[in-house]
């Protein structure tokens, strides 16, 4: 199971998948991935630890690696922001894949007029 974090549900969806029998799940350090990223691995492992689910990982080493190795490599923080959220609401591709046809995001009124948010 590979969960994206577009609506901040990557970790929650991964836990649900485990509860429904998934035996192979993944995430990425600091949520590294396009747009809003993937389920952040260090957060997923912390949740698994709190749930007493065996994971075989060193949580503190993952936290250190995410903070000290991965975040400095990111051009911009991997997070749900206005651009990634509005792209998902409109059913468009994630921003990193749309970079070549970059255009200003639609304002909320324009989105309502096209009935995307109504």
């Amino acid at each position: 199971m590979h969960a994206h974090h577009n609506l901040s549900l990557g970790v929650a969806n991964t836990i649900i998948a485990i509860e429904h029998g998934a035996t192979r799940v993944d995430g990425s350090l600091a949520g590294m991935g396009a747009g809003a990223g993937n389920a952040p691995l260090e957060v997923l492992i912390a949740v698994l630890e709190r749930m007493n689910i065996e994971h075989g990982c060193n949580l503190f080493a993952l936290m250190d690696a995410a903070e000290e190795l991965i975040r400095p490599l990111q051009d911009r923080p991997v997070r749900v922001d206005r651009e990634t959220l509005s792209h998902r609401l409109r059913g468009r591709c994630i921003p990193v894949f749309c970079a070549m046809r970059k255009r200003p995001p639609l304002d909320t009124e324009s989105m309502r007029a096209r009935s995307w948010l109504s």
Side-chain angles (χ1 to χ4, degrees):
M1 187 328 185
H2 173 80
H4 294 163
H5 211 53
N6 295 335
L7 296 174
S8 297
L9 296 172
V11 172
N13 287 335
T14 302
I15 296 301
I16 296 296
I18 291 169
E19 290 174 345
H20 283 86
T23 57
R24 185 174 291 187
V25 299
D26 74 10
S28 56
L29 288 175
M32 189 70 155
N38 300 310
L41 185 60
E42 64 279 13
V43 178
L44 175 59
I45 296 302
V47 171
L48 293 175
E49 200 159 286
R50 293 287 304 265
M51 296 177 70
N52 294 315
I53 296 174
E54 182 61 38
H55 51 73
C57 298
N58 181 328
L59 174 59
F60 294 105
L62 291 174
M63 291 167 56
D64 289 345
E67 193 67 30
E68 297 168 17
L69 300 175
I70 302 303
R71 284 196 177 90
L73 297 174
Q74 295 172 333
D75 292 339
R76 66 186 264 298
V78 175
R79 66 172 191 236
V80 178
D81 57 15
R82 178 178 50 209
E83 185 177 20
T84 58
L85 185 56
S86 64
H87 276 80
R88 296 315 318 155
L89 284 172
R90 294 187 307 189
R92 303 280 171 99
C93 63
I94 52 179
V96 72
F97 298 131
C98 298
M100 294 223 246
R101 57 186 179 100
K102 196 94 167 143
R103 64 181 186 188
L106 293 173
D107 61 37
T108 307
E109 196 56 42
S110 296
M111 291 173 72
R112 278 195 191 93
R114 294 182 179 171
S115 71
W116 287 317
L117 288 178
S118 41

